[in-house]
Every structure is written in structure tokens, then in C-alpha cells.
Amino acid sequence: MMQWFEGPLAAFDTETTGVDVEEDRIVSAALVVQDMAGGRLRVTRWLVNPGIPVPPGATEIHGLTDDHLQRNGRWPAPVMEELARALAEQCATGRPLVVMNAPFDLTLLDRELRRHRASSLAGYMGNKPLCVLDPRVLDRHLDRYRKGRRTLTDLCELYGVTLDGAHDPAADAAASLELVRAVGRRFSARLERLSPAEMHSLQAVWHAAQARGLQAWFEKNGAPEAVDPAWPLRPELPAAA
């Protein structure tokens, strides 16, 4: 019987105007689908004119300028609709969705849907539950005592996954997909009996524990950062009184 990490997977990634999931915008996105390990990758790309200036720091990371996005990007509303429907379609087929640092990308998409479509990611999913595999959460749980950073670049180097063109959403999504397969193989004795749905539920618990540990470290060292324990999607902030 084929293990989940050798079977069908899809991967999603975005590039953005910044790192604030409540206020920043998606400027590019990609969905990569693979029916089995080693199979052909089917890639869909989106380029977005976000309607706000792209900070120089963001452009330095992903290379997308205001001029390029204004000339070649599409308006956000139809793109967000397409993104949400594409993810819902993957979930409807039962294909697990690989998202590196899922609370960032999925929350950003949810906020964009609220902003431009008066809807939400859950609204597009309907009765199709998200089934997410997050290589960052998996690696932190399965190899929790290893020192060092756990960015996509770092994890790809550790697991022997090729990452060509970092910060291109299609390249990052493809690498994340292969990274999840590599993590599954390395820790197959602990993961092979779990279904993707069970993995999804466990990752929510693991991420919450990881967030509590990181929050305690920040507090011990006098850092002001707050760590959100929600996974794979942060809840909507309550409206101001």
C-alpha cells in the first residue's frame, strides 16, 4: 500500500508586500500538484497588482516591483476567487495541501478574501475540510532538539531537497512538496500509520505546543514578540469597538 508521503500532494505558496497577515497583500502565488512521488508537476501561477505600494524590502526579496505588477498583475478580487476555488478543489479530491508555515499564507489568503470578496477561506471550502501538511511544524516536532534555523532554505539543505529560485512561489511550493515527502521518508516509522487527516489534527496540537515554548523563550529573554498558537489559519481579529 502506498504511503501518504509517496502519493498525491498539492502545494501552495505566496509572495507578499510584507509579513503582517492582517494588512499586507499577496503579489504572486502558485499551486503545484503532483499525483505521485517522482511524477510530473502541474503548476498554476498568479500575478497580482495588490493596489498598494510594494515596499522596497519586499521587492528585494521576491524581485517584484510596483511597475511590473501594475503592468502585468491582475486585480486582486478575481485572483483571490481563483486561489480559493483552486485550494477547495484540491481538498475536495482528498489531496493533502502542503503549505510551509501555513498560518502565514493561509491567513493572508483568508484576509484577502474578506477584503476583496466579502467572504473567507472557510466559506469557499464549504464542507470540504482543509487537510494541510506543514513541513515546518512536522520537522520541529519530529526533530525538536536539533539546533539551527528552520526556514525553507535550511530545511531543504538538511533533507537534500533542491530549491531552485527561492522566493518564487512555484519554486518554493515545489520544494515544500518534496520536503514533506523527504520528512515522511526519514520519519516513516513514526508517520506511515497516520492518515493525512490525522496528521492535520496532530499538527494543530504540535504547533500550539511549539508556540507556547517559543513564547516562553521570548518572555524569558525580554522580547516583545507574541506567538499565535493557531494553525493552520489564524482566527479573524475581533472588530474594534
Side-chain angles (χ1 to χ4, degrees):
M1 180 178 178
M2 182 182 292
Q3 304 299 336
W4 63 262
F5 46 83
E6 303 292 356
L9 293 176
F12 175 66
D13 189 71
T14 66
E15 293 298 328
T16 69
T17 60
V19 296
D20 184 340
V21 296
E22 302 298 336
E23 299 296 335
D24 279 306
R25 311 297 173 89
I26 295 173
V27 296
S28 64
L31 179 68
V32 175
V33 179
Q34 189 179 45
D35 291 329
M36 61 181 296
R40 181 175 65 89
L41 298 176
R42 302 193 299 279
V43 181
T44 307
R45 301 171 181 265
W46 292 266
L47 191 67
V48 188
N49 179 352
I52 65 171
V54 180
T59 296
E60 188 175 341
I61 291 172
H62 51 57
L64 297 172
T65 64
D66 280 329
D67 181 67
H68 179 77
L69 293 172
Q70 289 169 11
R71 289 174 179 272
N72 301 286
R74 297 167 57 202
W75 289 114
V79 174
M80 300 312 146
E81 169 100 6
E82 291 174 15
L83 288 174
R85 291 190 180 281
L87 298 193
E89 180 181 346
Q90 298 306 314
C91 292
T93 64
R95 188 177 284 113
L97 186 64
V98 175
V99 189
M100 174 74 180
N101 191 19
F104 179 78
D105 294 87
L106 295 183
T107 304
L108 254 169
L109 175 57
D110 177 79
R111 302 313 190 253
E112 289 276 54
L113 290 166
R114 294 174 189 274
R115 185 177 295 121
H116 296 291
R117 305 300 305 185
S119 187
S120 66
L121 185 56
Y124 280 90
M125 291 295 163
N127 61 358
K128 314 171 191 71
L130 272 170
C131 183
V132 177
L133 299 172
D134 187 333
R136 187 178 185 183
V137 174
L138 292 172
D139 175 74
R140 276 182 170 172
H141 177 76
L142 296 164
D143 199 358
R144 68 183 70 182
Y145 299 114
R146 189 184 76 250
K147 296 185 182 297
R149 302 192 311 164
R150 300 181 194 243
T151 67
L152 179 60
T153 300
D154 296 317
L155 293 182
C156 284
E157 182 177 354
L158 176 70
Y159 285 90
V161 171
T162 299
L163 173 56
D164 289 326
H167 299 297
D168 170 84
D172 287 356
S176 297
L177 189 152
E178 289 302 324
L179 182 56
V180 160
R181 295 198 190 281
V183 172
R185 291 168 188 141
R186 180 171 296 189
F187 297 99
S188 61
R190 298 165 64 181
L191 299 178
E192 62 184 357
R193 296 185 181 181
L194 296 171
S195 69
E198 290 170 327
M199 295 280 292
H200 178 96
S201 298
L202 286 170
Q203 285 169 101
V205 176
W206 296 343
H207 179 269
Q210 293 161 8
R212 289 193 297 270
L214 185 56
Q215 186 71 69
W217 187 89
F218 282 145
E219 292 172 357
K220 179 181 178 181
N221 289 274
E225 286 88 346
V227 185
D228 196 318
W231 183 96
L233 181 68
R234 297 178 187 173
E236 184 183 14
L237 291 175

